């Protein structure tokens, strides 16, 4: 079985774009570098968020419900009310209310 091909960031940055101009090559390198930096920042933020959820769990909060609260608070109030009304209608139609 062949091993997957993995280039380091340095190798990727120094490899020219096939048929590209030097300016395009530099732009591509800059874009890739920015994306990689942002991915690292995102990874660090996700670890921080996980720590906060772990802390909440340690303090007796239900993390599953807490995640739902966060998701709901991101929604527009009008959109959330419409969704809740439809949910209520569906549950009523199923006899679950």
């Amino acid at each position: 079985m062949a091993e997957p091909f993995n280039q380091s960031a340095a190798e990727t940055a120094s490899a020219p774009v096939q048929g590209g101009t030097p300016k395009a090559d530099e732009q591509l390198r800059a874009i890739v570098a920015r994306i990689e930096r942002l991915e690292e920042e995102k990874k660090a933020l996700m670890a921080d968020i996980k720590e906060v959820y772990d802390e909440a769990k340690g303090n007796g909060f239900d993390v599953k419900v807490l995640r739902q609260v966060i998701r709901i608070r991101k929604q527009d109030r009008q959109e959330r009310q419409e969704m809740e009304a439809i949910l209520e209608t569906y549950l009523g139609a199923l006899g679950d209310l």
Side-chain angles (χ1 to χ4, degrees):
M1 182 179 286
E3 290 185 29
F5 178 72
N6 291 321
Q7 270 188 322
S8 70
E11 290 170 330
T12 303
S14 64
V17 176
Q18 190 171 6
T21 65
K23 183 177 180 179
D25 292 353
E26 186 58 36
Q27 286 176 332
L28 180 58
R29 280 193 279 286
I31 289 169
V32 169
R34 284 174 44 207
I35 291 170
E36 289 172 340
R37 180 182 48 79
L38 290 169
E39 288 290 340
E40 285 299 316
E41 289 176 19
K42 182 170 105 176
K43 185 177 173 183
L45 286 171
M46 294 304 290
D48 291 346
I49 291 170
K50 183 185 180 314
E51 285 180 24
V52 174
Y53 279 116
D54 289 345
E55 179 183 339
K57 184 177 182 179
N59 288 320
F61 293 100
D62 185 321
V63 173
K64 186 175 179 180
V65 174
L66 186 57
R67 288 183 189 277
Q68 187 173 1
V69 167
I70 299 299
R71 182 179 49 81
I72 288 170
R73 286 176 50 99
K74 287 180 185 178
Q75 294 176 343
D76 175 68
R77 182 178 298 257
Q78 180 67 30
E79 180 183 317
R80 182 174 67 233
Q81 289 172 342
E82 289 173 6
M83 186 174 59
E84 288 171 354
I86 293 169
L87 177 63
E88 203 171 294
T89 301
Y90 287 4
L91 290 174
L94 295 171
D96 288 344
L97 282 182

